[in-house]
Amino acid sequence: MTYEVTIEPTGDTIEVEEGQTLLDAALRAGIYLPHACGHGLCGTCKVEVLSGDIDHGSASPFALMDMEREEGKCLACCATPLSDLTLEADLEEEPDAHNHPVRDFTGVVSKIETLTPRIKAIFIAIENDGLEFQAGHYINLLIPGLEDQPRAFSIASPPSEKHLIELNVALVEGGKGTTWLHNELKVGDEIRFSGPYGRFYVRESAPEPMIFLAGGSGLSSPKSMILDLFERGETRPITFIYGARNQAELYYRELFEELAAEHSNFTYLPVLSNEPEDSGWQGLRGYVHEAAKAHFDGKFAGNKAYMCGPPPMIDACITTLMQGRLFEKEMFMENFYNQGSQAATKSPLFKNI
């Protein structure tokens, strides 16, 4: 059985299968609804049911209070229709966002590379028309035995490589998914995933210079974005500040140094927080936000900032950027969620990022 769901204020109509969530149906129809955790924990995907009946599913009572349920609200990532529906969602026009319908894929692992002691690059070959995505998007990977809990990984390769996507996977202590990917996955294995997902992307129409701030495996999206920008002839100034603990965890350094040598508008600044003093490291020491403050002399107004990394790094960067007169509408970030998340990891400093 299918149900017809109309989404206001756009008036778009989608077909939703019995048992399918409203969010999944919308994304597969190429209609973006705001969302983040996908597990009913954060409340980002809250919509209002104007007419019709729904099953709330596993929505957390903290993300969707009883009073809100009585008012007709639901979480699109959990709610399934029991009849035809009309919904109202908080949609904003975003001219630079690309809306690619979410699809299911089966790819083949073509290569696995060890990037650092705890991060591996997994390359997945995709046949037929490949995966169409926007730089900054991610996929949901299905791990054998854990199919009901897909793992999200940002795409590290540029959109031009739609038949061979790269994922940078950091080993999480005690993490079943990343442990399997590091220890069990082999070249030649088939692997299933869905995508693309996300709303982290470069504001291409904005004239301002760009600052990319990243740490750990958060390098994935900036790598995809920066490669895509230069493939398309980008001329605006771009600064990429990347933080790692030591040289052993500093990966793709040569790639970004080559880009900096080729493009006069690109500055690459790696910074290490725990490198031995006697190692001979001649680069920056400290943390990403400290390196950014020093490089820009504490003045960030007139830029666009894109951040990707652990929540403490993001919060420190947001504070530093704000102190330097850069505010919410000029900052964009990739939200990090994992299977241990019990609440949104978005910065408490802002409501939108």
Side-chain angles (χ1 to χ4, degrees):
M1 178 180 292
T2 62
Y3 298 102
E4 185 176 275
V5 176
T6 301
I7 302 172
E8 299 294 354
T10 62
D12 291 312
T13 299
I14 60 175
E15 297 292 326
V16 185
E17 299 288 337
E18 186 174 11
Q20 183 181 23
T21 68
L22 301 174
L23 177 62
D24 184 65
L27 295 178
R28 290 178 182 275
I31 298 172
Y32 181 82
L33 295 181
H35 64 282
C37 74
H39 306 298
L41 299 173
C42 71
T44 305
C45 65
K46 196 173 297 177
V47 297
E48 183 175 356
V49 180
L50 300 179
S51 66
D53 299 311
I54 55 101
D55 182 338
H56 285 284
S58 58
S60 163
F62 299 101
L64 185 70
M65 296 182 290
D66 290 341
M67 177 180 66
E68 293 178 305
R69 296 173 192 238
E70 293 172 0
E71 292 173 348
K73 293 182 173 61
C74 70
L75 301 186
C77 72
C78 298
T80 57
L82 299 175
S83 69
D84 292 344
L85 301 174
T86 300
L87 307 176
E88 184 168 36
D90 184 14
L91 303 176
E92 295 182 5
E93 185 176 354
E94 300 181 47
D96 293 320
H98 301 178
N99 292 324
H100 297 290
V102 168
R103 296 187 292 153
D104 297 316
F105 295 88
T106 298
V108 176
V109 178
S110 66
K111 183 169 59 173
I112 300 177
E113 292 183 355
T114 299
L115 299 175
T116 77
R118 69 182 195 94
I119 299 176
K120 288 190 175 183
I122 299 173
F123 295 83
I124 303 174
I126 309 166
E127 294 185 347
N128 302 319
D129 55 351
L131 173 66
E132 300 280 354
F133 68 96
Q134 184 172 15
H137 280 167
Y138 67 91
I139 64 169
N140 276 339
L141 203 63
L142 299 180
I143 308 296
L146 302 169
E147 287 87 352
D148 61 336
Q149 297 177 328
R151 270 48 173 182
F153 294 100
S154 299
I155 303 170
S157 44
S160 59
E161 298 177 10
K162 64 180 182 178
H163 290 99
L164 183 66
I165 63 169
E166 176 190 353
L167 309 178
N168 295 164
V169 179
L171 181 62
V172 176
E173 185 176 355
K176 295 179 180 179
T178 60
T179 297
W180 185 87
L181 290 167
H182 271 248
N183 299 336
E184 304 296 331
L185 187 68
K186 301 292 186 296
V187 171
D189 287 351
E190 287 192 345
I191 194 160
R192 294 186 295 140
F193 64 93
S194 61
Y197 297 95
R199 214 61 164 181
F200 185 51
Y201 60 92
V202 172
R203 272 58 182 178
E204 300 174 20
S205 63
E208 294 90 348
M210 291 167 275
I211 305 171
F212 291 88
L213 306 171
S217 60
L219 180 142
S220 299
S221 287
K223 176 175 176 284
S224 177
M225 292 167 153
I226 291 168
L227 289 175
D228 181 50
L229 284 166
F230 284 126
E231 284 180 4
R232 295 186 290 106
E234 184 57 56
T235 59
R236 287 168 292 183
I238 300 173
T239 302
F240 179 34
I241 303 175
Y242 174 71
R245 285 181 291 189
N246 50 55
Q247 289 190 73
E249 296 187 5
L250 181 62
Y251 69 106
Y252 281 129
R253 178 184 176 185
E254 291 185 1
L255 168 65
F256 291 110
E257 287 179 341
E258 290 173 2
L259 287 173
E262 294 171 4
H263 303 278
S264 60
N265 59 323
F266 181 57
T267 301
Y268 169 59
L269 298 173
V271 54
L272 305 181
S273 62
N274 196 29
E275 177 71 9
E277 291 295 334
D278 59 355
S279 68
W281 170 252
Q282 299 298 311
L284 300 175
R285 293 176 180 268
Y287 295 94
V288 171
H289 66 285
E290 295 170 339
K293 183 175 182 179
H295 181 72
F296 288 93
D297 195 25
K299 301 172 184 176
F300 300 102
N303 291 279
K304 296 284 189 187
Y306 300 87
M307 296 169 281
C308 188
M313 187 213 87
I314 297 292
D315 284 343
C317 287
I318 289 174
T319 299
T320 299
L321 293 171
M322 289 179 64
Q323 290 171 345
R325 308 300 295 174
L326 196 70
F327 300 110
E328 180 177 7
K329 65 179 181 179
E330 311 298 342
M331 299 186 206
F332 311 96
M333 64 175 281
E334 184 172 52
N335 286 317
F336 267 49
Y337 293 91
N338 58 42
Q339 291 304 310
S341 297
Q342 295 301 313
T345 58
K346 67 171 66 176
S347 170
L349 299 174
F350 288 148
K351 65 179 181 179
N352 292 332
I353 69 174

